[in-house]
Coordinates of all heavy atoms in Angstrom, one line a residue:
K1 N 0.8 -1.2 0.0 CA 0.0 0.0 0.0 C 0.9 1.2 0.0 O 0.4 2.4 -0.4 CB -0.9 0.0 1.2 CG -1.9 -1.3 1.2 CD -2.8 -1.2 2.3 CE -4.0 -0.4 2.0 NZ -5.0 -0.4 3.1
S2 N 2.1 1.1 0.4 CA 3.1 2.2 0.4 C 4.5 1.6 0.7 O 4.5 0.3 0.7 CB 2.8 3.2 1.5 OG 3.0 2.7 2.8
L3 N 5.5 2.4 0.6 CA 6.9 1.8 0.9 C 7.0 1.0 2.2 O 7.6 0.0 2.2 CB 7.9 3.0 0.9 CG 9.3 2.6 1.2 CD1 9.9 1.8 0.1 CD2 10.2 4.0 1.5
D4 N 6.3 1.5 3.2 CA 6.4 0.8 4.5 C 5.2 0.1 5.0 O 5.1 -0.4 6.1 CB 6.7 2.0 5.5 CG 8.1 2.5 5.3 OD1 9.1 1.8 5.1 OD2 8.2 3.8 5.2
E5 N 4.3 -0.1 4.0 CA 3.0 -0.9 4.5 C 2.8 -2.0 3.4 O 2.3 -1.7 2.3 CB 1.8 0.0 4.5 CG 0.6 -0.7 5.0 CD -0.6 0.2 5.1 OE1 -0.6 1.4 4.8 OE2 -1.6 -0.2 5.6
L6 N 3.1 -3.2 3.8 CA 2.8 -4.4 3.1 C 1.6 -5.1 3.7 O 1.6 -5.6 4.8 CB 4.0 -5.4 3.1 CG 3.8 -6.6 2.3 CD1 3.8 -6.3 0.7 CD2 4.9 -7.6 2.5
E7 N 0.5 -5.1 3.0 CA -0.8 -5.7 3.5 C -0.8 -7.2 3.2 O -0.6 -7.6 2.2 CB -2.0 -5.0 2.9 CG -3.4 -5.5 3.5 CD -4.5 -4.8 2.9 OE1 -4.7 -4.7 1.7 OE2 -5.3 -4.3 3.8
I8 N -1.0 -7.9 4.4 CA -1.1 -9.3 4.4 C -2.5 -9.8 4.6 O -3.0 -9.5 5.8 CB -0.1 -9.9 5.4 CG1 1.3 -9.3 5.3 CG2 -0.1 -11.5 5.4 CD1 2.0 -9.9 4.0
L9 N -3.2 -10.4 3.8 CA -4.4 -11.0 3.9 C -4.4 -12.5 4.1 O -4.2 -13.1 3.0 CB -5.4 -10.5 2.9 CG -5.7 -9.1 2.7 CD1 -6.5 -8.8 1.5 CD2 -6.3 -8.5 4.0
E10 N -4.4 -13.1 5.2 CA -4.3 -14.5 5.4 C -5.4 -15.2 4.8 O -5.2 -16.3 4.3 CB -4.2 -14.9 6.8 CG -3.1 -14.1 7.7 CD -3.4 -14.0 9.1 OE1 -4.1 -14.9 9.6 OE2 -3.1 -13.0 9.8
D11 N -6.6 -14.6 4.9 CA -7.8 -15.2 4.2 C -8.6 -14.1 3.5 O -9.5 -13.5 4.0 CB -8.7 -15.9 5.4 CG -9.9 -16.7 4.8 OD1 -9.8 -16.9 3.5 OD2 -10.8 -17.0 5.6
G12 N -8.0 -13.8 2.3 CA -8.5 -12.6 1.6 C -9.2 -13.1 0.3 O -9.4 -14.3 0.0
F13 N -9.6 -12.1 -0.4 CA -10.3 -12.2 -1.7 C -9.9 -11.1 -2.7 O -9.6 -10.0 -2.2 CB -11.8 -12.4 -1.6 CG -12.6 -11.1 -1.4 CD1 -13.0 -10.4 -2.5 CD2 -12.7 -10.5 -0.2 CE1 -13.7 -9.2 -2.4 CE2 -13.4 -9.4 0.0 CZ -13.9 -8.7 -1.0
V14 N -9.9 -11.4 -4.0 CA -9.8 -10.4 -5.0 C -10.9 -10.7 -6.1 O -10.8 -11.8 -6.6 CB -8.4 -10.3 -5.6 CG1 -8.4 -9.2 -6.8 CG2 -7.4 -10.0 -4.6
A15 N -11.8 -9.9 -6.3 CA -12.8 -10.1 -7.3 C -12.5 -9.3 -8.6 O -12.2 -8.1 -8.5 CB -14.2 -9.7 -6.8
V16 N -12.5 -10.0 -9.7 CA -12.1 -9.5 -10.9 C -13.2 -9.5 -12.0 O -13.8 -10.6 -12.1 CB -10.8 -10.2 -11.5 CG1 -10.4 -9.6 -12.9 CG2 -9.6 -10.2 -10.6
D17 N -13.6 -8.4 -12.6 CA -14.6 -8.3 -13.5 C -14.1 -7.6 -14.7 O -13.8 -6.4 -14.7 CB -15.8 -7.6 -12.9 CG -17.1 -7.6 -13.8 OD1 -16.9 -8.1 -15.0 OD2 -18.2 -7.1 -13.4
D18 N -14.1 -8.3 -15.9 CA -13.7 -7.8 -17.2 C -12.3 -7.2 -17.1 O -12.0 -6.1 -17.6 CB -14.7 -6.7 -17.7 CG -14.4 -6.4 -19.1 OD1 -13.9 -7.2 -19.9 OD2 -14.8 -5.2 -19.5
G19 N -11.4 -7.9 -16.5 CA -10.0 -7.4 -16.3 C -9.6 -6.5 -15.2 O -8.5 -6.2 -15.0
K20 N -10.6 -5.9 -14.5 CA -10.4 -5.0 -13.5 C -10.8 -5.5 -12.2 O -11.6 -6.4 -12.0 CB -11.2 -3.7 -13.7 CG -10.7 -2.9 -14.9 CD -11.5 -1.5 -14.9 CE -10.9 -0.6 -16.0 NZ -11.6 0.7 -16.0
I21 N -10.2 -5.0 -11.1 CA -10.4 -5.4 -9.8 C -11.8 -4.7 -9.3 O -11.8 -3.5 -9.3 CB -9.3 -5.0 -8.8 CG1 -8.0 -5.7 -9.3 CG2 -9.6 -5.4 -7.3 CD1 -6.7 -5.2 -8.5
Y22 N -12.7 -5.5 -9.1 CA -14.1 -4.9 -8.7 C -14.1 -4.7 -7.1 O -14.6 -3.7 -6.6 CB -15.1 -5.9 -9.0 CG -16.5 -5.4 -8.6 CD1 -17.2 -4.4 -9.4 CD2 -17.1 -5.9 -7.5 CE1 -18.4 -4.0 -9.1 CE2 -18.4 -5.4 -7.1 CZ -19.0 -4.5 -7.9 OH -20.3 -4.0 -7.5
A23 N -13.5 -5.7 -6.4 CA -13.4 -5.5 -4.9 C -12.3 -6.4 -4.4 O -11.9 -7.4 -5.0 CB -14.7 -5.9 -4.3
A24 N -11.7 -6.0 -3.3 CA -10.7 -6.9 -2.6 C -10.7 -6.6 -1.1 O -11.0 -5.4 -0.7 CB -9.3 -6.5 -3.2
G25 N -10.2 -7.5 -0.4 CA -10.2 -7.4 1.1 C -10.1 -8.7 1.8 O -9.8 -9.7 1.2
D26 N -10.4 -8.6 3.1 CA -10.5 -9.8 3.9 C -11.8 -10.6 3.6 O -12.8 -10.0 3.3 CB -10.5 -9.5 5.4 CG -10.4 -10.7 6.3 OD1 -9.1 -11.1 6.5 OD2 -11.3 -11.2 6.7

């Protein structure tokens, strides 16, 4: 998310619609 913030989602999701990220999170 920045130089000093690496987001780690142990049980996450990324939703992709027509090549774009529609939603992402835990």
Side-chain angles (χ1 to χ4, degrees):
K1 300 183 79 173
S2 69
L3 174 68
D4 295 310
E5 186 179 2
L6 184 69
E7 184 170 55
I8 305 290
L9 298 173
E10 305 156 31
D11 189 13
F13 78 92
V14 179
V16 181
D17 187 352
D18 194 26
K20 286 188 176 181
I21 299 166
Y22 181 79
D26 189 83

